[in-house]
């Protein structure tokens, strides 16, 4: 699949998997995609790729796709095996928002990393930034509040609660790197 036209393909697919069974997850995905559009100045030709990955990043939560219970892996496998998606989109979905840490806690890290090599770090940072700066309802937030919300929703002693606290320094690092790249672009003369 060519990288042009990715968003025209990705939005209807994500909507078909999330909008009806998980409307809040769909709202979140739309908000993450909105954040992705704001990063276009630092993404160049990868802007559409990131937006497509952003709207698709949580499709693994769809009841039709949930096989392992680990949504990055379930979503990436669907995109690879059923949707014939762009390899870079698949990789971004598989590894979004420090997924390797949660995979490790679930005993799935080797599976995740052997099936799906990681995408370029600047794109992984950008997708993490978009996800962790968006509330479950799709509105803008900041990564500290987002991490606190996730830990509170799942409970601090849950697998997700412990994973998100472990991932917090990297999530904050992703955000800092993206904001620095945005600031550098804004400082450049026209």
């Amino acid at each position: 699949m060519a990288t042009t036209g990715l968003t025209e393909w990705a939005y209807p697919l994500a909507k078909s998997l999330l909008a009806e069974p998980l409307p809040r997850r769909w709202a979140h995905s739309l908000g993450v995609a909105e954040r992705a559009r704001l990063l276009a100045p630092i993404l160049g030709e990868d802007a559409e790729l990131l937006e497509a990955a952003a709207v698709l990043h949580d499709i693994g939560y769809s009841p039709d796709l949930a096989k392992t219970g680990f949504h990055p892996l379930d979503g990436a496998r669907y995109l690879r095996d059923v949707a014939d998606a762009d390899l870079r989109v698949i990789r971004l979905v598989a590894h979004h928002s420090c997924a390797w840490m949660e995979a490790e806690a679930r005993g799935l890290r080797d599976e995740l990393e052997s099936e799906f090599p990681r995408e370029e770090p600047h794109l992984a940072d950008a997708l993490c930034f978009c996800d962790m700066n968006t509330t479950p309802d799709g509105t803008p937030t900041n990564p500290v509040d987002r991490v606190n919300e996730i830990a509170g929703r799942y409970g601090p002693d849950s697998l997700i609660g412990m994973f998100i606290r472990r991932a917090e320094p990297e999530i904050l690092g992703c955000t800092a790197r993206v904001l620095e790249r945005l600031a550098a672009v804004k400082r450049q003369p026209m």
Side-chain angles (χ1 to χ4, degrees), residues 97-98 123-133 170-171 174-175:
S97 303
C98 307
L123 292 173
D125 280 356
L127 184 53
C128 181
F129 172 91
C130 296
D131 189 17
M132 293 297 136
N133 281 277
E170 182 56 23
I171 290 166
C174 290
T175 296

Side-chain angles (χ1 to χ4, degrees), residues 34-171:
E34 184 180 332
R35 305 288 100 59
R37 284 192 298 279
L38 299 175
L39 299 185
I42 64 169
L43 297 172
E45 63 186 30
D46 289 331
E48 187 171 9
L49 172 80
L50 184 74
E51 185 178 347
V55 80
L56 291 165
H57 81 286
D58 273 353
I59 63 167
Y61 281 114
S62 171
D64 293 339
L65 308 189
K67 305 288 186 252
T68 67
F70 179 49
H71 77 279
L73 186 58
D74 290 338
R77 284 177 172 165
Y78 174 84
L79 290 171
R80 177 192 64 201
D81 299 342
V82 178
D84 193 30
D86 179 274
L87 182 59
R88 296 178 75 203
V89 170
I90 296 167
R91 289 175 174 176
L92 285 167
V93 168
H95 289 281
H96 76 271
S97 303
C98 307
W100 70 268
M101 288 186 196
E102 184 179 345
E104 188 173 82
R106 292 177 178 274
L108 294 170
R109 184 173 178 183
D110 289 343
E111 242 177 286
L112 177 70
E113 293 188 341
S114 67
E115 285 186 50
F116 304 105
R118 293 186 198 201
E119 190 47 60
E120 296 177 42
H122 77 279
L123 292 173
D125 280 356
L127 184 53
C128 181
F129 172 91
C130 296
D131 189 17
M132 293 297 136
N133 281 277
T134 306
T135 68
D137 297 312
T139 60
T141 189
N142 65 73
V144 172
D145 287 348
R146 178 80 165 117
V147 166
N148 288 336
E149 181 276 321
I150 293 168
R153 181 167 21 121
Y154 288 94
D157 297 327
S158 69
L159 184 140
I160 302 293
M162 290 186 286
F163 145 70
I164 202 68
R165 288 293 179 206
R166 180 174 173 227
E168 186 171 19
E170 182 56 23
I171 290 166

